[in-house]
Amino acid sequence: GEKWVKTKGLFVLLFSVLGAYYLLPGIGKIRINWVFENDLSNLAVAAYYQNGWLSFLSEETLISWWRLLAFSSPAMEVGALLIELSAVLLLFNRRLAFIVLFAFVSLRFGIFVTTGIFFWKWIVLDCAIGIYLLVASRPKDEFLSYKQGLQGALAKLCVAIFRHGPTNLAWYES
């Protein structure tokens, strides 16, 4: 009914703004050729030396951890980029939105495990939205059709990017 129309509008706005804050760093990473020029293991090493992250581990364990990160860095970078770019999929349907939100949370936990940087507010927000999507009652036409979703997602994300101006978070860890 009318309550769902208001909720649906809120989700279109929320996913547009939230999506912009993930999409813009993904676009920034493409612009600077981040996947091919970056090495995430450098960030983990810096987190240890600058902030003492994982300093409770033995030197041997840390070196093994950094080698694993160096080996898997290209795959992790591609994964991070794809997760950030997946923000355009938030408006398609409830299940896809939930999957994208889960990927966002996974990305944030991965950052925490490797660097100690804890984006807890983003995790709480993404989890709260995901939980709402799971438990809220919903009508059959819950989101937009795929064609409308694509048009709406692109239009709303462009508006959110240029109107609200999320920070372009893209840099090298090397």
Side-chain angles (χ1 to χ4, degrees), residues 1-16 90-91 94 128-129 132-139 141-144:
E2 183 179 322
K3 184 177 178 183
W4 174 248
V5 172
K6 291 179 184 176
T7 306
K8 186 176 180 178
L10 176 66
F11 272 98
V12 169
L13 176 63
L14 179 64
F15 284 162
S16 297
L90 283 169
L91 289 170
R94 184 179 296 258
I129 297 168
Y132 180 82
L133 291 176
L134 285 176
V135 300
S137 61
R138 55 199 181 263
D141 62 336
E142 57 186 44
F143 276 69
L144 305 171

Side-chain angles (χ1 to χ4, degrees), residues 83 86-90 95-106 126:
I83 289 170
S86 74
V88 298
L89 304 175
L90 283 169
R95 179 174 292 157
L96 195 51
F98 182 80
I99 291 168
V100 170
L101 289 167
F102 179 79
F104 289 168
V105 171
S106 299
D126 294 340

Side-chain angles (χ1 to χ4, degrees), residues 1-133:
E2 183 179 322
K3 184 177 178 183
W4 174 248
V5 172
K6 291 179 184 176
T7 306
K8 186 176 180 178
L10 176 66
F11 272 98
V12 169
L13 176 63
L14 179 64
F15 284 162
S16 297
V17 175
L18 179 67
Y21 278 91
Y22 281 96
L23 181 65
L24 195 59
I27 293 170
K29 286 174 177 66
I30 291 171
R31 286 184 182 154
I32 66 169
N33 204 22
W34 183 78
V35 170
F36 299 106
E37 302 289 334
N38 193 48
D39 185 351
L40 286 176
S41 64
N42 290 333
L43 186 59
V45 172
Y48 171 77
Y49 283 109
Q50 292 287 323
N51 303 321
W53 183 244
L54 301 178
S55 60
F56 60 89
L57 296 175
S58 70
E59 184 176 328
E60 182 180 313
T61 303
L62 280 169
I63 290 171
S64 296
W65 171 244
W66 294 335
R67 285 185 179 143
L68 175 65
L69 288 176
F71 174 76
S72 58
S73 183
M76 291 187 319
E77 290 164 2
V78 169
L81 180 62
L82 291 175
I83 289 170
E84 289 175 339
L85 295 177
S86 74
V88 298
L89 304 175
L90 283 169
L91 289 170
F92 283 93
N93 64 47
R94 184 179 296 258
R95 179 174 292 157
L96 195 51
F98 182 80
I99 291 168
V100 170
L101 289 167
F102 179 79
F104 289 168
V105 171
S106 299
L107 174 67
R108 298 297 181 200
F109 272 120
I111 292 169
F112 175 67
V113 168
T114 57
T115 68
I117 301 169
F118 193 34
F119 293 100
W120 69 270
K121 293 176 186 177
W122 284 101
I123 292 170
V124 168
L125 176 64
D126 294 340
C127 286
I129 297 168
I131 290 168
Y132 180 82
L133 291 176

